């Protein structure tokens, strides 16, 4: 992984995520964890309703994060 990319990821702080958002994300986290525990593919499709750039960026960042955190079998897509 590129050094600058790894440094950027290390700066991400999850403590800045508010509690309401964490509650919303919890079912997704549990679903992904279950897939990982069962050694299944984790297929994630990001959909943006206003423009395709955000879904493309989300696709890229989650794919990079899965490699960085060594989460196997993650496949990210963008629905635009």
């Amino acid at each position: 992984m590129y050094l600058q990319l790894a440094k950027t990821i290390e700066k991400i702080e999850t403590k800045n995520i508010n509690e309401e958002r964490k509650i919303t994300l919890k079912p997704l986290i549990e679903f992904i964890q279950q897939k990982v525990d069962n050694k299944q593919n984790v297929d994630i499709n990001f959909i943006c309703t206003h423009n395709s750039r955000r879904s493309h960026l989300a696709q890229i960042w989650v794919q990079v994060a899965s490699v960085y955190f060594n989460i196997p079998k993650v496949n990210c897509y963008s629905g635009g």
Side-chain angles (χ1 to χ4, degrees):
M1 179 168 294
Y2 293 107
L3 181 60
Q4 189 62 41
L5 185 55
K7 287 180 181 179
T8 300
I9 293 170
E10 289 173 8
K11 292 179 186 176
I12 296 172
E13 296 185 27
T14 59
K15 67 182 179 183
N16 295 332
I17 302 172
N18 70 46
E19 292 305 312
E20 183 179 334
R21 188 69 178 147
K22 288 179 183 178
I23 290 169
T24 301
L25 292 172
K26 188 172 168 96
L28 176 61
I29 294 166
E30 291 171 349
F31 175 78
I32 292 170
Q33 187 62 59
Q34 182 181 22
K35 293 273 194 177
V36 171
D37 291 345
N38 292 326
K39 297 182 180 9
Q40 296 175 311
N41 287 346
V42 180
D43 297 319
I44 304 172
N45 190 13
F46 293 94
I47 307 296
C48 180
T49 59
H50 297 295
N51 65 50
S52 64
R53 288 174 287 222
R54 283 178 283 208
S55 62
H56 290 306
L57 290 171
Q59 170 194 1
I60 293 165
W61 272 113
V62 172
Q63 194 72 63
V64 168
S66 70
V67 172
Y68 181 83
F69 291 107
N70 198 28
I71 303 170
K73 297 185 176 186
V74 174
N75 305 298
C76 297
Y77 309 94
S78 171

